[in-house]
């Protein structure tokens, strides 16, 4: 019953908390704390003079609170969000602020409000915050930190407060806001708030500008060893079946596209980049390629392991070379409610694949469905990367089946702890949680 | 920078208000000094942790010191007043380090274990500022300038931080308005408190009649519910070796029964003349005519005992033996005595103990008056009936003690009062035959009076518990006792009819954990006695040594840290100093520009000079390039040479320039 009450209190606090916290500036909180302390110390006016200080601080807080109506800002806002962002990577975006009033607007602050997603009671009970074991017994019992962690994770993004430069009448300035997505999937933004101080800068008044928007957050990614040769490339299998399919790509220029993280510097088209003010990449047509498949075991239950599996898959999709040998198309095969295959035949489906991973939920289907689908498509593959969450009989059978069909295999097996799996074949690698980054970096 | 000068002024104000000016001046100077030096120490987290731990230890030490010396210092007041001193090391170290704000994990130990780095931080200067403001208000002095000064300091700090959003006049107007409001409201607060205090005082006085009233004693006669007196130790009595303590210490006696209470009708208290500072002699007794006559106590042996008692109120009655002769070392302003044996000390100050001497005849209570023979009409028949029952048995009727012994022979001692109706004493004497000391004492007084003997009701304490641990007698609150005084053989004599079992009975009612509480209380008492006996002078050398060692350690630690000049810290806007900015070659280029020669984009200076036919400048260009781009630069002599080359070239150019009608123009 106590935990239940606590949880509901946290929820109430979370709904209004952030806006209420913004109401005071740091200085205002200091003055407020001072007032409370002075109120306690000065309760006996015979004993000391603190009641005079209390009166001063109380009048200061009360008086300045009333002055907030003096000069509320009149501005209009327009948000400019990026198309995609990556979980765990901070990004900047711009909000254009226009002074639409008859006075110069100075000393304003801008903050974007995500839609607060409350965790469910069940999540509060079951999920544990990373590093919770290092907290003290009281904190663990109260669960405040866990709740706040869940709240941040569910809401999915933290957005910094940005200062607005002084705006002359009718002037528009762009303000750069820094955000950090905390998880993959869609993040909802609700409104923007403009904060303005009172003359003593103890309080912040708030003007809200409802402007719903949403942001697609791609899965978290790790750096993959750039020298890693994906299975099925000619280097790994000289004289094998795969070699006849992949004999390299021609430098037939096809198009220009925006820079994506991981693109080689050599492929930047400098004249276009200079003209457009951002890096632009030359794309070449691959005429001969080894076709690879990335198979993700999405039947894992929703957990840290599942999230890590998606992160590994996303890392591999973007981590392979984008030019030269090994820059081969990679199809993505996974289960949602049905079997899904996102083909990369044109070499430009990566963003669709990442979008699919961003929105992926744990599949109710069995692993054997995925295994059958993989074997069905084996004839198209020269190499196959499997991202698995366990190493059972089904998984071993799938690897054996692929080998029998002359497909080069790399199985990456995520494990919740670093306990070594017994008799792992050479083409299978274990990725213990917490060491994923190291293993992928040294493949 | 915002608190420049302000922190110094605040510290001085705090020092003035708290009489800690000798601390405040160096503290203010040290904090202000940072604005006059650009030297800063690059301290890391561990250094801050150490200083914070030192501050914590200092703070704990301060708290322990204040708790132990609770008599001399008002705990909260002194603590708050001294807080700036406790936080000074931390504030100073931060001020002279390259860190601007104190991360919260430095201040709060619990945050140090946290995995995610702590992002919140405090500006300790403002904390110090606030501590000084609060500390300076903790004094008792009602100074009229406290509020104006504090308001001035605070508004000055806020003025420097005001929002540029509002014009200055708005700010000033608002500040003035707030000040007026503040003065009005603080006056209102004070008046409201005074009013409330007067009201509650009157209310409490009505509710409680306290024991320290020499004119009225409230008894629990007739009240219902178990009486439970506290086991707390009220005072301790140290007797000379082998001397028995007085059995009873009297606080006051009363002559007039009123309902269930006892009163005395003579309100005058006379001042006992001082014999010296904090000492009084009580060897005189006013006689019936009112003039004092001396008591010859020279024949009697006078015993001096030391009483350890912490007075909780400034005015209280002293429990003393009735043959008291002198009181010494009592930390009171004045001592008053009443006609009924009450000694009242006024203006008591906290001090650990005082001495009292006693011996000879009991003289504290004045001779009897008519009131001492008065029997309330309502009780007279009951008393007569009780005595009539005894008359045949008590053969030695001339000894009233024997009579009373007979009356109370079958009575029991009980702490469980019973509803006795309108006349609890009648119920006690006739029906219940059980009660506590107040019943026995009241009944005895009235029975004595009924027999024609002047009698009074006396209250005080029984001394009956010896503590081997301390070698002292302990008097607890539950040792409070009441008894009768009878005027027999021309002097007041104690007639205590309460069954002797009462003390054991009360002791049985004590909590089973009492020995433990006593152990703690007595241990604290012994420690305080020891502590009070200590003098700082005895430890002076040791303290100097310790302080010196600590300072040396701190100086050594800090001097080992890396130092930087903040002016040399890498500037945030990266203007890179380029060598050869003042090269004379630039003059030559300016001259060429004036002549209309522009270097093409991407054109090397040497190519350019060749193209426009100024090969004469090539040696100068060589030196110029070396100056600008050679990491080792060029020597002063070579710089001189460069200047000479350029000047020579300019001298050549000038006449050519003036004569040439059509100088070679720039490329199209």
């Amino acid at each position: 019953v106590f935990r239940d009450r606590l949880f509901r209190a946290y929820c109430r606090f979370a709904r209004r908390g952030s806006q209420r916290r913004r109401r005071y500036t740091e200085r205002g909180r200091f003055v407020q704390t001072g007032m409370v302390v002075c109120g306690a110390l000065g309760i006996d006016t015979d004993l000391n003079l603190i009641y005079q200080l209390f009166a001063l601080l109380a009048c200061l807080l009360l008086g300045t609170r009333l002055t907030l109506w003096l000069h509320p800002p009149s501005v209009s806002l327009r948000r400019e969000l990026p198309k995609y962002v990556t979980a765990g990577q901070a990004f900047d975006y711009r909000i254009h602020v226009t002074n639409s009033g008859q006075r110069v607007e100075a000393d304003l602050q801008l903050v974007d409000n995500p839609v607060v997603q409350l965790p469910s009671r069940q999540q509060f009970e079951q999920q544990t915050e990373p590093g919770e074991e290092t907290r003290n017994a009281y904190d663990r019992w109260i669960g405040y930190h866990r709740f706040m962690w869940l709240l941040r994770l569910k809401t999915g993004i933290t957005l910094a407060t940005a200062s607005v430069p002084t705006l002359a009448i009718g002037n528009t300035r762009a303000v750069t806001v820094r955000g950090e997505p905390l998880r993959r999937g869609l993040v909802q933004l609700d409104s923007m708030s403009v904060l303005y101080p009172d003359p003593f800068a103890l309080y912040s008044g708030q003007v809200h500008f409802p402007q719903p928007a949403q942001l697609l957050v791609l899965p978290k990614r790790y750096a993959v060893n750039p020298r890693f040769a994906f299975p099925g490339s000619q280097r790994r299998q000289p004289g094998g079946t795969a070699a006849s399919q992949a004999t390299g790509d021609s430098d037939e220029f096809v198009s220009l596209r925006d820079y994506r993280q991981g693109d080689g510097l050599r492929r930047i088209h400098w004249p276009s980049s200079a003209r457009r003010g951002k890096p632009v990449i030359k794309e070449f047509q691959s005429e001969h390629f080894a076709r690879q498949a990335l198979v993700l075991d999405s039947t894992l239950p929703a957990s840290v392991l599942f999230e890590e599996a998606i992160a590994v898959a996303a890392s591999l999709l973007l981590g392979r070379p984008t030019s030269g040998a090994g820059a081969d198309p990679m199809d993505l095969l996974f289960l949602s409610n049905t079997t899904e295959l996102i083909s990369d035949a044109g070499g430009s489906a990566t963003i669709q694949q990442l979008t699919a991973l961003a929105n992926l939920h744990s599949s109710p289907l069995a692993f054997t469905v995925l295994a059958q689908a993989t074997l069905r498509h084996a004839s198209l593959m020269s190499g196959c990367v499997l991202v698995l969450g366990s190493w059972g009989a089904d998984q071993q059978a799938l690897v054996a089946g692929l080998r029998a069909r002359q497909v080069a295999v790399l199985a990456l097996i995520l494990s919740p702890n670093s306990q070594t799996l017994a008799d792992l074949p050479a083409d299978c690698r274990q990725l213990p949680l917490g060491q994923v980054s190291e293993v992928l970096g040294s493949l | 920078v915002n608190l420049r000068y302000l922190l110094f002024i605040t510290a001085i104000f705090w020092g003035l208000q708290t009489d800690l000016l000798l601390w405040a001046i160096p503290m203010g100077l040290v904090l202000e000094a940072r604005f006059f030096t650009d030297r800063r120490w690059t301290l890391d987290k561990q250094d801050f942790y150490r200083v914070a731990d030192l501050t914590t230890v200092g703070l704990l030490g301060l708290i322990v010191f204040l708790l132990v010396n609770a008599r001399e210092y008002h705990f909260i007041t002194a603590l708050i007043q001294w807080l700036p001193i406790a936080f000074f090391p931390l504030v100073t170290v931060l001020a002279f380090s390259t860190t601007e704000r104190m991360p919260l994990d430095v201040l709060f130990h619990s945050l140090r274990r946290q995995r995610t780095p702590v992002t919140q931080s405090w500006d300790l200067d403002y904390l110090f500022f606030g501590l000084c403001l609060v500390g300076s208000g903790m004094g008792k002095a009602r100074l009229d300038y406290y509020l104006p000064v504090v308001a001035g300091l605070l508004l000055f700090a806020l003025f420097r931080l005001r929002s540029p959003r509002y014009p200055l006049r708005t700010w000033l107007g608002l500040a003035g308005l707030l000040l007026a409001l503040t003065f009005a409201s603080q006056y209102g607060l004070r008046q409201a408190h005074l009013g409330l205090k007067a009201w509650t005082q009157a209310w409490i006085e009505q509710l409680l009649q306290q024991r320290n009233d020499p004119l009225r004693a409230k008894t629990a006669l007739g009240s219902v519910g178990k009486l439970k007196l506290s086991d707390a130790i009220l005072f301790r009595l140290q007797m000379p070796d082998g001397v028995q303590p007085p059995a009873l210490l009297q606080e006051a006696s009363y002559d007039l029964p009123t309902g269930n209470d006892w009163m005395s009708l003579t309100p005058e208290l006379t001042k006992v003349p001082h014999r010296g500072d904090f000492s009084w002699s009580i060897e005189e007794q006013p006689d019936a005519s009112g003039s004092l006559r001396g008591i010859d106590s020279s024949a009697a042996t006078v015993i001096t005992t030391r009483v350890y008692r912490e007075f909780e109120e400034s005015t209280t009655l002293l429990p003393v033996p009735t043959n008291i002769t002198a009181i010494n070392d009592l930390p009171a302003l004045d001592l008053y005595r009443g006609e009924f044996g009450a000694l009242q000390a006024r203006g008591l100050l906290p001090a650990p103990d005082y001495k009292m001497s006693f011996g000879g005849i009991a003289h504290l209570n004045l001779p009897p008056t008519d009131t001492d023979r008065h029997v309330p009409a309502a009780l007279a028949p009951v008393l007569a009936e009780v005595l009539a029952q005894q008359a045949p048995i008590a053969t030695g009727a001339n000894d009233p003690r024997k009579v009373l012994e007979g009356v109370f022979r079958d009575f029991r001692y009980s702490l469980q009062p019973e509803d006795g109706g309108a006349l609890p004493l009648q119920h006690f004497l006739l029906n219940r035959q059980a009660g506590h000391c107040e019943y026995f004492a009241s009944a005895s007084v009235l029975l004595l009076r009924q027999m024609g003997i002047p009698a009074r009701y006396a209250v005080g304490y029984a001394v009956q518990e010896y503590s081997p641990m301390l070698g002292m007698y302990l008097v607890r609150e539950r040792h409070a006792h009441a008894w009768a005084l009878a005027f027999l053989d021309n002097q007041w004599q104690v007639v205590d009819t309460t069954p002797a079992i009462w003390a054991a009975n009360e002791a049985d009612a004590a909590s089973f954990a009492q020995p433990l509480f006593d152990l703690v209380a007595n241990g604290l008492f012994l420690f305080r006695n020891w502590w009070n006996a200590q003098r700082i002078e005895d430890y002076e050398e040791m303290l100097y040594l310790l302080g010196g060692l600590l300072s040396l350690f701190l100086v050594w630690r800090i001097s080992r840290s890396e130092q930087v000049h903040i002016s040399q810290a890498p500037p945030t806007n990266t203007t890179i100093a380029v060598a050869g900015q003042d090269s004379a070659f630039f003059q030559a280029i300016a001259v060429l520009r004036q002549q209309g020669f522009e270097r093409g984009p991407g054109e090397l200076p040497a190519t350019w000079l060749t193209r426009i036919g100024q090969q004469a400048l090539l040696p100068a260009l060589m030196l110029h390039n070396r100056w600008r781009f050679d990491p080792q630069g060029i020597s002063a002599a070579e710089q001189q040479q460069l200047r000479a080359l350029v000047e020579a070239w300019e001298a050549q150019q000038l006449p050519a320039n003036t004569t040439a009608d059509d100088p070679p123009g720039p490329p199209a």
Side-chain angles (χ1 to χ4, degrees):
Chain A
V1 177
F2 175 74
R3 295 274 293 190
D4 202 48
R5 285 244 176 106
L6 211 60
F7 177 73
R8 268 184 275 155
Y10 288 155
C11 289
R12 268 200 305 279
F13 172 74
R15 263 186 231 116
R16 293 187 229 127
S18 67
Q19 299 209 349
R20 195 167 284 186
R21 250 173 283 133
R22 275 185 223 143
R23 199 175 287 165
Y24 288 100
T25 61
E26 188 193 1
R27 202 171 310 150
R29 264 196 295 274
F30 184 63
V31 171
Q32 198 194 27
T33 314
M35 186 190 78
V36 173
V37 170
C38 287
L41 287 176
I43 194 108
D44 186 353
T45 62
D46 288 336
L47 201 60
N48 52 46
L49 304 172
I50 296 296
Y51 72 94
Q52 299 187 353
L53 189 56
F54 169 77
L56 176 64
L57 298 180
C59 288
L60 204 60
L61 282 173
L62 192 77
T64 50
R65 184 93 178 82
L66 295 177
T67 54
L68 277 181
W69 52 260
L70 271 182
H71 184 183
S74 47
V75 293
S76 57
L77 305 178
R78 187 169 58 81
R79 199 196 274 130
E80 212 175 68
L81 279 176
K83 237 180 192 168
Y84 315 104
V85 291
T86 304
Q89 282 184 14
F91 67 99
D92 290 334
Y93 66 101
R94 297 196 294 180
I95 296 178
H96 299 271
V97 188
T98 308
N99 181 357
S100 52
Q102 295 304 311
R103 275 196 270 189
V104 174
E105 295 291 355
D107 207 8
L108 296 181
Q109 290 204 308
L110 189 59
V111 57
D112 213 339
N113 304 315
V115 177
V116 174
Q117 311 269 11
L118 295 176
S120 68
R121 183 71 216 281
Q122 196 189 5
Q123 281 171 319
F124 179 61
E125 283 305 321
Q126 290 171 356
Q127 298 206 14
T128 50
E129 178 197 359
E132 193 169 275
E133 65 283 352
T134 62
R135 296 211 182 268
N136 60 40
Y138 175 78
D139 280 349
R140 284 203 301 272
W141 180 61
I142 282 290
Y144 174 76
H145 294 284
R146 177 191 286 192
F147 182 87
M148 292 313 286
W149 168 74
L150 273 173
L151 183 73
R152 279 195 298 273
L153 198 69
K154 288 277 284 182
T155 304
I157 195 166
T158 55
L159 293 158
T161 307
S163 298
V164 181
T166 304
L167 286 171
I169 300 164
N171 211 344
T172 302
R173 300 285 283 273
V175 178
T176 306
V177 181
R178 169 149 287 217
E180 188 180 350
L182 304 173
R183 56 150 176 87
R184 67 190 174 87
L186 276 179
V187 165
Q188 311 278 348
L189 297 175
D190 179 17
S191 64
M192 290 172 279
S193 302
V194 171
L195 311 180
Y196 64 103
D198 64 64
F200 289 86
L202 300 181
Y203 284 98
S204 288
Q206 299 186 42
V207 185
H208 298 292
F209 296 84
Q211 216 175 94
Q214 59 183 21
L215 190 62
L216 179 65
V217 183
L218 301 181
K220 177 173 80 174
R221 292 198 295 275
Y222 295 104
V224 179
N225 182 6
R227 297 204 186 146
F228 167 63
F230 280 81
S233 73
Q234 54 205 137
R235 273 178 297 164
R236 278 284 291 269
Q237 307 218 328
T241 22
S244 63
Q245 289 180 16
T247 50
D249 55 3
S250 79
D251 280 355
E252 184 85 9
F253 174 80
V254 201
S255 66
L256 292 170
R257 64 161 172 83
D258 280 359
Y259 177 82
R260 279 203 303 257
Q261 203 179 3
D263 283 335
L265 280 182
R266 291 162 144 260
R267 295 184 60 201
I268 292 184
H269 189 246
W270 293 104
S272 306
S273 301
R275 230 176 284 129
R276 292 175 53 182
K278 56 182 179 179
V280 173
I281 292 292
K282 293 174 282 190
E283 279 195 315
F284 301 96
Q285 171 85 52
S286 302
E287 295 195 331
H288 308 283
F289 51 83
R291 195 158 173 188
Q292 289 164 339
L294 179 69
V295 178
L296 170 66
D297 179 6
S298 54
T299 61
L300 296 170
S303 62
V304 181
L305 204 69
F306 180 62
E307 293 299 321
E308 286 297 301
I310 289 176
V312 168
S315 311
L316 291 172
L317 282 175
L318 277 178
R320 65 212 154 100
T322 44
S323 68
D328 302 311
M330 191 180 251
D331 300 336
L332 175 67
L333 187 63
F334 59 92
L335 297 182
S336 56
N337 290 329
T338 58
T339 312
E340 292 203 29
L341 173 75
I342 302 181
S343 167
D344 191 27
S348 56
T350 311
I351 206 70
Q352 276 152 266
Q353 293 171 336
L354 288 175
T355 309
L357 286 183
N359 294 318
L360 185 60
H361 294 288
S362 180
S363 168
L365 301 177
F367 181 79
T368 44
V369 180
L370 184 69
Q372 284 160 11
T374 308
L375 292 176
R376 241 189 345 266
H377 287 90
S379 58
L380 293 172
M381 307 169 188
S382 51
C384 179
V385 181
L386 298 164
V387 180
L388 305 173
S390 58
W391 188 238
D394 289 343
Q395 285 80 3
Q396 291 175 19
L398 174 61
V399 171
L402 285 170
R403 279 204 204 107
R405 288 167 174 76
Q406 306 291 323
V407 177
V409 176
L410 169 71
L412 298 173
I413 302 145
L414 284 146
S415 58
N417 47 44
S418 53
Q419 203 179 349
T420 321
L421 293 172
D423 5 298
L424 217 52
D427 51 3
C428 297
R429 296 290 294 267
Q430 188 186 358
L431 297 172
L433 287 189
Q435 297 171 34
V436 176
S437 176
E438 288 92 330
V439 178
L440 283 184
S442 64
L443 270 176
Chain B
V1 179
N2 175 51
L3 287 176
R4 187 170 193 171
Y5 310 125
L6 204 60
L7 218 50
F8 178 70
I9 298 171
T10 314
I12 296 298
F13 179 63
W14 163 76
L16 278 172
Q17 287 283 89
T18 54
D19 291 334
L20 293 170
L21 202 58
L22 282 179
W23 289 85
I25 293 175
M27 280 162 61
L29 286 176
V30 166
L31 287 179
E32 199 62 21
R34 83 182 107 155
F35 299 115
F36 296 94
T37 171
D38 56 359
R39 210 164 250 269
R40 294 288 186 270
W41 278 272
T42 47
L43 303 177
D44 60 14
K45 268 274 171 71
Q46 287 305 324
D47 296 324
F48 284 123
Y49 284 171
R50 257 180 233 125
V51 181
D53 292 344
L54 188 76
T55 304
T56 313
V57 170
L59 211 55
L60 287 178
L62 184 61
I63 289 172
V64 169
F65 175 81
L66 288 177
L67 281 177
V68 170
N69 291 289
R71 301 162 160 281
E72 280 150 74
Y73 302 102
H74 185 259
F75 178 73
I76 287 290
T77 304
L79 181 68
I80 303 282
Q81 280 184 338
W82 294 357
L83 271 188
I85 301 180
F87 276 90
F88 176 69
L90 204 54
V91 178
T92 311
V93 167
L94 184 71
F96 285 94
S97 75
T98 44
T99 314
E100 295 209 334
R101 292 164 63 92
M102 190 62 88
L104 283 197
D105 54 335
V106 173
L107 298 172
F108 299 101
H109 214 278
S110 59
L111 291 177
R112 292 188 193 169
R113 294 190 318 160
Q114 201 169 302
R115 271 160 51 119
T116 45
V118 175
T119 49
Q120 297 105 312
S121 60
W122 280 358
D123 193 330
L124 281 199
D125 283 341
Y126 285 100
L127 184 74
F128 188 76
F129 179 69
L131 287 179
C132 281
L133 289 189
V134 174
S136 54
M138 287 307 280
K140 266 185 182 168
R142 305 224 76 84
L143 294 173
D144 293 334
Y145 60 77
Y146 173 70
L147 183 57
V149 172
V150 165
L153 290 170
L154 196 67
L155 287 179
F156 190 46
L158 286 171
F159 178 76
R160 287 174 165 179
L161 294 167
R162 70 186 185 280
S163 167
R165 193 172 166 74
Y166 302 89
L168 186 60
R169 57 174 192 281
T170 311
W171 193 93
L172 289 176
L174 188 62
L177 207 67
L178 287 179
L179 273 184
L181 194 66
T182 301
F183 278 94
S185 55
Q186 65 92 6
Y187 180 77
L189 274 179
R190 174 74 183 147
Q191 293 309 312
H193 180 231
L194 287 180
L196 185 74
K197 208 170 66 166
W199 182 77
T200 41
Q201 244 166 20
W203 185 70
I204 288 173
E205 268 168 21
Q206 230 174 16
L207 200 74
L208 298 171
Q209 275 296 338
Q210 288 181 351
R211 180 76 176 273
N212 58 14
D213 185 353
L215 304 179
R216 173 182 278 271
K218 205 154 178 74
T219 68
L221 294 187
S223 64
V224 185
K226 189 166 163 54
L227 279 179
K228 176 73 183 135
L229 288 170
S230 156
D231 294 321
I233 298 169
L234 200 66
F235 56 93
R236 297 169 176 83
L237 211 62
Q238 190 167 43
M239 301 297 299
D241 284 340
V243 178
Q244 284 297 312
L248 294 170
L249 298 177
Q250 178 185 313
E251 268 187 337
S253 67
Y254 306 89
D255 57 354
L256 191 66
T258 56
N260 295 330
D261 296 349
W262 285 88
M263 286 179 68
S264 57
L265 278 182
T266 355
E268 287 89 22
L269 293 173
T270 50
K271 208 182 223 180
V272 180
H274 282 261
R275 200 176 57 190
D277 283 346
F278 306 118
S279 65
W280 292 266
S281 165
I282 313 156
E283 295 184 334
E284 297 168 318
Q285 186 182 33
D287 59 16
S289 63
S291 60
L292 298 169
R293 69 183 158 84
I295 291 184
D296 183 23
S297 58
S298 51
T301 40
V302 173
I303 300 161
T304 301
T305 169
R306 191 177 280 273
V307 183
Y308 294 90
R309 175 170 186 185
E310 287 177 32
F311 295 103
E312 279 164 10
E313 286 150 350
S314 64
T315 299
T316 196
L317 291 174
L318 300 180
V320 291
T322 45
N323 55 356
I324 180 119
T325 58
I327 288 186
N328 292 313
D329 299 344
L330 179 72
L333 293 180
D334 283 308
L335 192 66
Y336 286 80
R337 66 182 284 183
E339 286 184 32
F340 297 93
L343 275 182
Q344 189 185 46
R346 293 190 187 170
L348 278 166
L349 300 167
D353 58 69
Y354 63 94
K355 280 187 269 189
M356 62 184 189
S357 309
F358 56 93
I361 54 158
H363 62 273
L364 202 58
N365 299 304
L366 292 193
T369 62
D370 285 346
T371 328
D372 295 323
R373 293 188 171 86
H374 165 79
V375 175
L379 280 172
V382 180
L383 297 170
E385 184 192 336
V386 170
L387 283 178
Q389 285 173 4
Q390 295 302 316
I393 310 161
T395 44
N398 54 348
D399 186 357
R401 289 169 197 261
K402 285 265 162 37
V403 177
L404 290 183
E405 247 175 56
V407 170
F408 294 118
R409 187 181 300 126
D410 298 327
F411 279 51
R412 283 180 302 110
Y413 183 78
S414 163
L415 271 173
Q416 195 76 54
E418 217 175 79
D419 190 1
L423 289 170
L425 271 182
Q426 179 181 354
H427 180 71
F428 166 72
L429 282 170
L430 298 181
N431 309 345
R432 185 153 186 245
Q433 305 206 326
H436 49 82
C437 59
E438 287 170 345
Y439 283 97
F440 285 98
S442 297
S444 303
V445 172
L446 296 180
L447 284 169
L448 283 166
R449 287 181 181 181
Q450 185 72 19
M451 287 185 271
I453 300 159
R456 281 179 190 168
Y457 175 83
V459 294
Y461 293 91
V463 183
Q464 55 193 4
E465 185 179 341
Y466 182 72
S467 160
M469 172 181 173
L470 301 178
M472 295 180 191
Y473 286 89
L474 306 184
V475 178
R476 302 175 189 272
E477 279 182 24
R478 66 170 153 83
H479 292 157
H481 193 41
W483 59 91
L485 290 173
F487 198 71
L488 297 168
D489 304 335
N490 222 16
Q491 61 168 324
W492 288 108
Q493 295 191 12
V494 172
V495 179
D496 189 358
T497 50
T498 310
I501 190 97
W502 78 271
N505 221 328
E506 295 260 6
D508 284 348
S511 152
F512 70 93
Q514 193 53 42
L516 194 67
F517 290 138
D518 283 352
L519 194 69
V520 173
N522 286 336
L524 274 176
F525 167 74
L526 282 178
F527 173 73
R528 260 202 304 268
N529 271 359
W530 173 83
W531 179 267
N532 286 329
Q534 304 305 306
R535 286 164 359 131
I536 193 96
E537 291 82 8
D538 303 341
Y539 295 92
E540 218 160 347
E541 283 171 19
M542 234 193 282
L543 282 176
Y544 281 135
L545 192 68
L546 191 69
L549 282 177
L550 271 179
S551 325
L552 275 179
F553 177 72
L554 211 66
V555 168
W556 174 73
R557 275 288 325 169
I558 289 178
S559 62
R560 269 189 25 163
S561 307
E562 193 190 339
Q563 285 181 39
V564 291
H565 290 276
I566 42 172
S567 55
Q568 286 178 4
T572 43
N573 51 342
T574 50
T575 46
I576 298 158
V578 178
Q581 290 280 41
D582 48 350
S583 163
F585 192 77
F586 288 115
Q587 295 170 23
I589 293 177
V591 170
L592 287 172
R593 283 238 173 90
Q594 269 180 2
Q595 294 175 4
F597 296 110
E598 276 296 338
R599 191 149 65 97
E603 191 174 21
L604 292 177
T607 329
W608 176 51
L609 289 179
T610 317
R611 177 167 62 78
I612 60 174
Q614 294 287 1
Q615 286 91 339
L617 272 174
L618 284 177
L621 176 68
M622 285 286 284
L623 281 174
H624 172 77
N625 280 346
R626 270 185 56 212
W627 190 358
R628 293 204 60 196
F629 306 118
D630 188 339
Q632 288 168 356
I634 57 173
S635 66
E638 284 171 316
Q639 292 179 15
Q640 201 65 42
Q641 191 192 344
L642 172 62
R643 196 166 304 124
L645 278 171
V646 171
E647 275 163 10
W649 175 80
E650 274 181 339
Q652 268 185 354
Q653 286 293 300
L654 226 59
N657 210 7
T658 44
T659 50
D661 294 330
D662 188 15

